[in-house]
Amino acid sequence: MSDYKLFTSCLWQTTSAVVSTPDRLYLFDPAYFPHEIEAIAEYVQSVRNGRELVLVLTHGDWDHIVGYPRFADAKLIGHKKITDPERLAKKLQKARKFDGSYYVNRPYELNPPAFDKLVEQVEAWEEVRFIPVPGHTVDQLATLFCEQKLLVVGDMLSNLEFPFVDDSSAYLSSLQAIEKLVVDGEVEELIPGHGVPAKGRESILHRIRRDQEYLLAARKLIFEGVAAGTSEEALAESFRQISYDGAPIGQYLQDSHEQNRIVLMKEAVSLTG
């Protein structure tokens, strides 16, 4: 059984995991509201016992990065592309706008973080393996705890969401890489960025396969439609009918589904020249 504690924000059920190893505590994406982050900090302090604290940002989306200043003595780790100045500035501004709009009083400034370690490709480090898994974002980073067979994956494979896509081809490749880890017996438990963990081979594979089916169906509809010269209005109407895991897309996620269509349209147009 993996030794971890999971904190779930009331905002989008964003998950913040604290994973224990003999020499270190690993903290992922502390989120979101100040009182929630403070509860995480109190827990970390109560179990740390002199161990090194490693704070991993799975990716640079604003709801995942707001908590890092509270853990000033942590070793901060992320994907190399998370430090893109323009993109990072936009994400931090979104967090400031959200806080300002809802009168969230955050007791620290949201300035660009200084990372102690940046990861660009699959890399073994201490007792973990860092695995880039782009597709939702270009900078998404999964962390595999090899002995525990636990994968902290960021914004993929949620029980709450279909894929939110930045690059559909990269997303499918990342799903394939995770599927191989599961089939090879290297992963038996998975913590997503939102919602509850998937435990056991079949549970994880179910999440992988339903995401693959959604992406493949969406790509087929848009890519073939663009190649055939189908109007964008007709493609948009057909796209709204795509289901996920055997059910229609929920009304509150329709905007994200539509955003996926826009991304896929751009990809399809670039392929046709």
Side-chain angles (χ1 to χ4, degrees):
M1 181 64 67
S2 299
D3 185 9
Y4 70 81
K5 172 80 170 176
L6 198 66
F7 294 84
T8 304
S9 174
C10 59
L11 179 66
W12 296 325
Q13 294 190 39
T14 306
T15 58
S16 303
V18 183
V19 184
S20 296
T21 69
D23 297 320
R24 293 170 191 84
L25 279 182
Y26 289 81
L27 169 60
F28 294 86
D29 297 353
Y32 177 83
F33 295 102
H35 70 281
E36 295 174 325
I37 294 171
E38 195 58 35
I40 298 169
E42 290 174 1
Y43 173 77
V44 166
Q45 181 62 28
S46 71
V47 300
R48 188 169 178 180
N49 294 325
R51 287 179 287 180
E52 181 180 36
L53 179 62
V54 179
L55 199 168
V56 182
L57 298 180
T58 63
H59 61 298
D61 281 351
W62 62 273
D63 53 317
H64 292 263
I65 63 175
V66 294
Y68 71 86
R70 178 61 181 81
F71 303 89
D73 67 333
K75 177 172 285 187
L76 187 60
I77 296 178
H79 191 284
K80 184 176 181 180
K81 291 183 178 179
I82 200 174
T83 60
D84 177 82
E86 182 177 354
R87 184 172 182 274
L88 186 57
K90 288 180 179 178
K91 299 299 183 181
L92 290 172
Q93 183 55 33
K94 283 187 175 182
R96 296 186 194 102
K97 182 178 179 180
F98 181 93
D99 284 359
S101 297
Y102 293 96
Y103 310 150
V104 177
N105 184 20
R106 200 169 296 278
Y108 47 76
E109 293 296 324
L110 291 175
N111 296 316
F115 285 86
D116 297 286
K117 179 176 178 59
L118 293 169
V119 178
E120 191 169 12
Q121 56 191 355
V122 176
E123 178 180 341
W125 183 82
E126 305 297 348
E127 57 270 275
V128 303
R129 190 154 84 240
F130 293 121
I131 305 170
V133 284
H136 170 65
T137 62
V138 297
D139 59 354
Q140 186 156 267
L141 185 68
T143 303
L144 174 61
F145 291 84
C146 302
E147 184 175 337
Q148 298 96 321
K149 298 186 177 182
L150 170 69
L151 188 68
V152 182
V153 75
D155 276 8
M156 299 174 69
L157 301 170
S158 170
N159 63 304
L160 303 171
E161 302 171 344
F162 52 85
F164 294 178
V165 181
D166 173 74
D167 181 328
S168 67
S169 177
Y171 209 124
L172 284 167
S173 295
S174 293
L175 287 172
Q176 186 176 38
I178 296 170
E179 183 177 26
K180 185 176 189 305
L181 292 173
V182 178
V183 171
D184 290 348
E186 294 189 65
V187 173
E188 296 180 353
E189 192 165 0
L190 179 143
I191 298 175
H194 301 271
V196 300
K199 300 182 180 183
R201 172 189 169 108
E202 292 309 314
S203 177
I204 300 171
L205 289 177
H206 172 72
R207 293 193 188 185
I208 291 171
R209 287 165 183 162
R210 69 184 185 181
D211 285 5
Q212 289 171 331
E213 290 170 1
Y214 169 83
L215 288 169
L216 290 171
R219 281 168 58 93
K220 178 179 173 63
L221 190 155
I222 296 298
F223 286 24
E224 291 184 358
V226 168
T230 306
S231 71
E232 185 166 355
E233 292 78 10
L235 286 176
E237 177 58 32
S238 296
F239 198 81
R240 282 192 286 271
Q241 307 309 313
I242 291 177
S243 62
Y244 176 67
D245 199 24
I249 301 295
Q251 63 173 318
Y252 300 115
L253 291 176
Q254 281 290 340
D255 286 349
S256 296
H257 183 55
E258 170 63 10
Q259 184 59 42
N260 284 348
R261 185 190 68 82
I262 293 170
V263 170
L264 289 169
M265 288 291 297
K266 291 177 180 178
E267 293 179 355
V269 169
S270 70
L271 285 176
T272 60

